[in-house]
């Protein structure tokens, strides 16, 4: 039995499902597998809010069309939640609670049997409070349940011809705000403007970390040297996006660096306790 067949068999007993669908490679693979397992008894739903980066919705629509799954959007209002705006280490819990409240309501109203997410086994080695929200809403994680990690996710996505197979990770814009800096619509928009400006300069894998009036640019290792050699356009792009100060981090970008710091700290605390 191939890995794809194994995953299809895992999903098929669910009978019908709503997929929490960002258009990233993880949720795209789940959407493709769910379509194979359940046919037209599947629905991909993308949440639209100020935390969604420009271009992500268009990408999600294109992937949904490519894998043949029905696709809808909903508007979520995580910014209305004080616990989310506070931006402590449980921000993702409050964000995912808002999302899964909405998706579970859709599933119940329309008779879908399950809500699926794209969480994979590598997420267990990171600080992921959103998984707690998922558990509270009985969300299923086929990739995680089958022990599929990120590298295998991309390999399977390539095997199935999914357009987002090589798409860099693009978590919500709130992930650019270090814990403790309040999440506001203005801050999210400023980050989005800065990142879009840098992409227009040809940079592909990047984050603009939001420190109030300072925008700190993190770039992938293979793009960092170019930025450091010709920093003026990079700095100018960030300043034009609304920051009064800008700098380029001399260390290469690492996805999930803020959450890994929390995970490591909590793991140390658990061991010492």
């Amino acid at each position: 039995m191939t890995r794809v067949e194994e995953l299809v068999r895992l999903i098929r007993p669910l009978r019908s499902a709503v997929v929490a669908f960002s258009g990233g490679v993880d949720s795209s693979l789940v959407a493709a597998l769910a379509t194979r397992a359940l046919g037209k008894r599947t629905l991909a739903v993308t949440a639209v809010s100020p935390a969604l980066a420009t271009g992500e919705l268009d990408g999600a629509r294109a992937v949904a069309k490519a894998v043949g799954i029905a696709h809808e959007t909903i508007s979520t209002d995580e910014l209305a939640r004080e616990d989310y705006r506070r931006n402590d280490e449980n921000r993702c819990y409050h964000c995912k609670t808002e999302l899964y409240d909405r998706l579970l309501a859709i599933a119940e109203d329309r008779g879908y049997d399950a809500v699926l997410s794209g969480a994979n086994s590598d997420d267990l080695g990171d600080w992921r409070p959103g998984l707690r929200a998922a558990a509270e809403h009985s969300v299923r994680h086929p990739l995680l349940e089958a022990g599929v990690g990120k590298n295998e996710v991309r390999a399977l996505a390539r095997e199935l011809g999914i357009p987002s197979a090589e798409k860099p990770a693009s978590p919500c814009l709130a992930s650019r705000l270090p814990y403790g800096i309040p999440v506001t619509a203005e801050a999210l928009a400023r980050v989005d403007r800065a990142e879009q400006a840098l992409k227009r300069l040809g940079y592909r894998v990047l984050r603009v970390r939001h420190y109030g009036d300072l925008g700190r640019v993190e770039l992938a290792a293979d793009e960092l040297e170019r930025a450091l050699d010709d920093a003026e356009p990079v700095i100018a792009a960030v300043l034009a996006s609304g920051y009064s100060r800008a700098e380029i981090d001399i260390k290469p970008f690492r996805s999930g660096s803020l959450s890994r710091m929390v995970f490591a700290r909590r793991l140390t605390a658990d061991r010492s306790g």
Side-chain angles (χ1 to χ4, degrees):
M1 184 188 306
T2 68
R3 194 63 151 153
V4 168
E5 291 170 340
E6 178 186 345
L7 287 160
V8 168
R9 287 195 180 190
L10 176 65
I11 294 171
R12 186 169 289 138
L14 300 177
R15 297 180 297 180
S16 62
V18 173
V19 180
F21 185 70
S22 69
V25 62
D26 301 316
S27 63
S28 296
L29 177 59
V30 171
L33 293 167
T35 301
R36 286 183 170 227
L38 306 171
K40 294 185 180 298
R41 302 186 306 278
T42 56
L43 173 66
V45 179
T46 301
V48 178
S49 79
L52 184 67
T54 298
E56 291 299 303
L57 179 56
D58 288 342
R61 285 173 171 151
V63 174
K65 183 177 180 180
V67 304
I69 191 170
H71 181 230
E72 296 181 8
T73 63
I74 56 171
S75 295
T76 54
D77 194 15
E78 53 267 29
L79 279 170
R81 295 174 178 255
E82 181 181 354
D83 289 334
Y84 172 85
R85 296 194 306 272
R86 185 185 303 116
N87 194 24
D88 63 15
E89 295 172 359
N90 289 300
R91 181 197 67 237
C92 287
Y93 168 80
H94 303 295
C95 176
K96 293 299 187 183
T97 296
E98 170 77 8
L99 173 63
Y100 294 140
D101 279 351
R102 298 293 307 281
L103 296 186
L104 193 60
I106 290 173
E108 291 175 347
D109 289 346
R110 303 192 198 177
Y112 290 95
D113 292 314
V115 174
L116 306 182
S117 93
N120 65 71
S121 62
D122 287 352
D123 293 329
L124 296 178
D126 201 350
W127 174 241
R128 299 282 180 171
L131 290 176
R132 177 161 58 94
E136 292 172 357
H137 291 77
S138 300
V139 173
R140 295 285 300 272
H141 315 292
L143 303 177
L144 193 158
E145 292 171 22
V148 177
K150 193 71 173 189
N151 289 338
E152 189 176 11
V153 167
R154 292 200 184 276
L156 292 172
R158 286 191 290 269
E159 178 182 334
L160 296 179
I162 296 172
S164 57
E166 308 302 334
K167 184 179 184 294
S170 183
C172 75
L173 293 170
S175 67
R176 278 63 154 177
L177 279 62
Y179 295 124
I181 295 179
V183 181
T184 66
E186 193 281 329
L188 297 174
R190 193 186 303 176
V191 169
D192 193 37
R193 288 193 300 269
E195 292 192 351
Q196 295 307 311
L198 293 175
K199 288 177 180 178
R200 288 192 292 272
L201 292 176
Y203 296 100
R204 182 169 176 264
V205 180
L206 61 98
R207 297 288 187 272
V208 175
R209 303 294 183 191
H210 177 89
Y211 294 88
D213 65 347
L214 168 67
R216 177 178 295 160
V217 179
E218 297 181 4
L219 293 162
D222 60 348
E223 298 181 315
L224 180 57
E225 184 176 354
R226 174 166 75 94
L228 293 175
D229 286 344
D230 188 18
E232 185 175 349
V234 174
I235 298 300
V238 175
L239 294 177
S241 301
Y243 289 98
S244 59
R245 297 184 296 140
E247 63 185 31
I248 302 171
D249 196 326
I250 62 172
K251 294 183 294 185
F253 162 71
R254 291 184 64 203
S255 181
S257 58
L258 295 178
S259 60
R260 274 196 298 272
M261 289 170 59
V262 176
F263 182 76
R265 185 168 66 248
R266 287 178 173 261
L267 184 62
T268 300
D270 289 344
R271 287 173 174 170
S272 62

